[in-house]
Amino acid sequence: MADENRLPSKEGERVIDENVTPKKSVMNLPNKLTIFRMVLIPVFIVFFYVEFKSHFFVSLFIFVVASLTDILDGKIARKRGLVTNFGKFLDPIADKVLVLSAFVLFLSRYEIFFTMYLNNWAVIVAGIGVALILARELIVSGFRLVASDSGVVIAADMVGKYKTVFQDVALVLFLVGAGFSEFASWYAIEIINYVALSVFAVAVILTIISGVNYIVKNSSVLKD
């Protein structure tokens, strides 16, 4: 007896089974955007260090483009039903590598965190802040790895999302200040740097709160 679910076809044509769900392509548009973001990271680093007029502004443009792909890939994946395990794996890694790379780069350029009245203390505190951000990401990644082995999914909390926003805004402001340092007066740069440091301080506080939330809410995964 012929299978009723199969559509009749002429000789040589493919037989279509309506009960077979088509596989999602790994190399769909959201994942391509994520890979593109990863490719932009070394480009961002190169333009950050290569000295020429406005190179910080070029780095800023690359960082903004990379950050926009983070927003787009998630929206497209959810709207079109293109969420894949590959995307779930690579997307958060791309985000963390982009942001953490930028913060580490900034520590290598003394003038980015330096301010006239805070002197070296701004650089020291910024270094501690970056270390805390790195520690938080490593701790959360470790918790998620252990939780996945136990079949537990750890969702991102709202504090973590606000933390990401403040980190991105701080990075943009620091790059703007560094870019204007080639054109504007010292006092104008000081104002931008103080605003950037304030946003960065909020980002570090939110990072600590988010990290503590992850540990407290998901401490049970370590008890098995």
Side-chain angles (χ1 to χ4, degrees):
M1 175 181 276
D3 190 340
E4 294 179 356
N5 292 322
R6 292 181 179 271
L7 297 177
S9 61
K10 296 179 182 178
E11 186 178 353
E13 292 183 349
R14 292 182 59 186
V15 177
I16 302 172
D17 191 338
E18 294 179 341
N19 290 332
V20 175
T21 304
K23 279 189 173 182
K24 295 178 183 177
S25 173
V26 172
M27 291 309 297
N28 55 36
L29 179 58
N31 290 343
K32 287 179 181 178
L33 288 172
T34 301
I35 294 171
F36 179 61
R37 182 158 71 258
M38 291 289 288
V39 171
L40 286 179
I41 294 171
V43 179
F44 167 75
I45 294 171
V46 168
F47 281 102
F48 182 86
Y49 280 118
V50 175
E51 299 279 348
F52 63 90
K53 204 74 170 176
S54 302
H55 73 101
F56 283 125
F57 282 128
V58 176
S59 297
L60 171 61
F61 174 76
I62 295 170
F63 179 82
V64 170
V65 170
S67 299
L68 288 176
T69 64
D70 179 29
I71 298 172
L72 286 174
D73 62 10
K75 285 187 175 181
I76 294 172
R78 288 187 294 271
K79 185 175 181 180
R80 299 185 183 180
L82 298 175
V83 178
T84 63
N85 288 333
F86 180 80
K88 291 178 184 178
F89 166 75
L90 191 62
D91 183 65
I93 291 177
D95 302 340
K96 289 178 176 60
V97 173
L98 174 64
V99 172
L100 294 178
S101 296
F103 278 128
V104 171
L105 291 181
F106 289 1
L107 288 175
S108 69
R109 298 298 293 257
Y110 186 83
E111 68 273 16
I112 287 183
F113 289 113
F114 181 83
T115 56
M116 185 183 299
Y117 298 105
L118 294 177
N119 297 318
N120 294 333
W121 283 106
V123 182
I124 294 170
V125 172
I128 295 171
V130 172
L132 289 170
I133 292 172
L134 281 165
R136 185 267 182 194
E137 298 302 340
L138 289 173
I139 290 169
V140 170
S141 296
F143 262 84
R144 283 179 171 163
L145 181 62
V146 174
S148 64
D149 289 339
S150 305
V152 179
V153 178
I154 300 178
D157 61 353
M158 286 305 298
V159 180
K161 293 178 181 179
Y162 287 130
K163 171 265 305 179
T164 301
V165 172
F166 274 89
Q167 285 180 359
D168 288 344
V169 172
L171 288 169
V172 168
L173 289 172
F174 280 126
L175 285 170
V176 169
F180 276 122
S181 66
E182 298 177 302
F183 304 98
S185 66
W186 177 256
Y187 291 104
I189 302 162
E190 279 280 295
I191 293 172
I192 296 172
N193 275 5
Y194 276 118
V195 175
L197 284 169
S198 300
V199 176
F200 176 68
V202 175
V204 172
I205 293 170
L206 292 175
T207 296
I208 295 170
I209 294 172
S210 175
V212 171
N213 278 345
Y214 269 103
I215 295 172
V216 172
K217 292 180 180 179
N218 305 290
S219 58
S220 59
V221 302
L222 299 177
K223 296 177 181 178
D224 296 335

